[in-house]
Amino acid sequence: FDGYAVARGTPSADLAALIAKVNGERKAIYEARATAEKVPVEAIGRIYAGEIMKSAPAGTWFLSESGTWTQK
């Protein structure tokens, strides 16, 4: 819902590190675009979240804003 990766369950140390790396890169992109467009970072994250959901393969799990997991 916010454009950031989240592990479903308890991730291994390697997976947690990868998620942190991906989210750090995403945050930099979201902040740069938010600054350029003069909108909140959260708005950019939501736009990207929609695109990520569209392009994800079937079977991918997503965490909703309410905290529930749904599978594509």
Side-chain angles (χ1 to χ4, degrees):
F1 73 93
D2 63 0
Y4 291 100
V6 179
R8 186 168 180 256
T10 304
S12 66
D14 288 343
L15 181 56
L18 177 60
I19 290 170
K21 179 180 184 279
V22 167
N23 284 339
E25 292 169 358
R26 287 181 181 181
K27 183 177 180 183
I29 292 167
Y30 299 171
E31 287 175 345
R33 186 162 173 199
T35 299
E37 295 186 21
K38 297 182 172 106
V39 297
V41 174
E42 295 79 16
I44 299 300
R46 288 184 182 277
I47 291 168
Y48 276 94
E51 294 301 314
I52 291 165
M53 290 175 82
K54 285 184 203 173
S55 65
T60 303
W61 287 91
F62 290 96
L63 181 63
S64 72
E65 192 168 2
S66 68
T68 60
W69 288 95
T70 56
Q71 193 172 23
K72 180 177 178 181

